[in-house]
Amino acid sequence: MTAVNARAVEPYWVVVPAAGSGKRMGADKPKQYLPLLGKPLIVHTLQNILSWPGLAGIVVAIAADDSEFKALPQAADPRIHTVIGGAERADSVLAALEYLSNRAVPETSVLVHDAARPLVAKGDIEKLIGPESAAIALLAQPASDTVKRATTEHGVAVVTETLPRDQIWLAQTPQKAPLQLLKDSLQSGLRENPTAITDEASALELAGYRPQLMAACRTNFKITQPADLLLAEALLQQQRTQQGEPS
Ligand code: CTP
Ligand code: MG
């Protein structure tokens, strides 16, 4: 099966998985609530998404024990809905897709975007929702470093192979697909090979589709470790300065 080329139904919905605990960040709260230039990280992400053209609404998947989301100003925005997420990212995305299934037609285009990626560029979103993109597509970054395959020998990582770099892309989000097709693919992927389902595209690939890769800016990195927060803060500060906002 190849990429689905039929145009998606507009307007589209955005699903934001935000139910993780941020283990690799090692902070005293989930990373989506850590301050970035004085505002929680997730507020930057939601404000960014709310500026995307053609948006119908956002479904945010939050943890069952989340006590912070309801205090955010965005919690009162009628375009923003919440559901309770699950144990893995795919479970959180599925919970949001279930919610959407009662509100949108099966062909509705859905963009899944990590709460931890506040810096996705508007131009890349326009490409992803524009006429050049297939109905199943994702933002990704072509590898710029040489990529090694490794194994562990006597507790030490050693190279077994250098991979052809022009075939390597690092998947980002948003990842876009029609609602019902994405839901079916995630459900069957989680049944058949749960550990292989680390993003929407992996489930769609397992279901036989070939998602289109759209080269995106590397500022769309996922905030994962403490150094990423510093980098994001510097980039957001630069954006503010360019837009003439007070720092
Ligand atoms: N996420 C989610 N539900 C989960 C796990 C993750 O909604 N059960 C969300 C995170 O909140 C994040 C996105 O998926 O916005 C990407 O996941 P990741 O960067 O791995 O975040 P965490 O799982 O929170 O971090 P870590 O893996 O370091 O614990
Ligand atoms: Mg995680």
Side-chain angles (χ1 to χ4, degrees), residues 16-21 30 32-33 60-70 82-88 91-93 95:
V16 177
S21 58
Q32 52 273 27
Y33 296 114
V60 186
I62 58 174
D65 62 354
D66 187 300
S67 58
E68 305 218 25
F69 190 87
K70 61 180 184 300
T82 54
V83 294
I84 301 300
E88 301 295 335
D91 302 312
S92 300
V93 171

Side-chain angles (χ1 to χ4, degrees), residues 128-196:
L128 185 67
I129 60 177
E132 299 300 307
S133 85
I136 300 179
L138 66 147
L139 296 188
Q141 190 197 321
S144 53
D145 294 326
T146 298
V147 181
K148 310 288 187 189
R149 188 187 298 282
T151 189
T152 305
E153 280 176 10
H154 312 296
V156 176
V158 293
V159 174
T160 55
E161 191 187 355
T162 297
L163 302 177
R165 189 171 59 198
D166 58 356
Q167 294 175 11
I168 305 289
W169 292 64
L170 308 180
Q172 302 177 342
T173 69
Q175 302 198 358
K176 182 185 74 166
L179 171 58
Q180 187 67 45
L181 190 149
L182 179 57
K183 199 172 129 203
D184 291 346
S185 301
L186 278 169
Q187 280 169 339
S188 60
L190 287 177
R191 259 193 323 268
E192 284 165 31
N193 193 354
T195 54

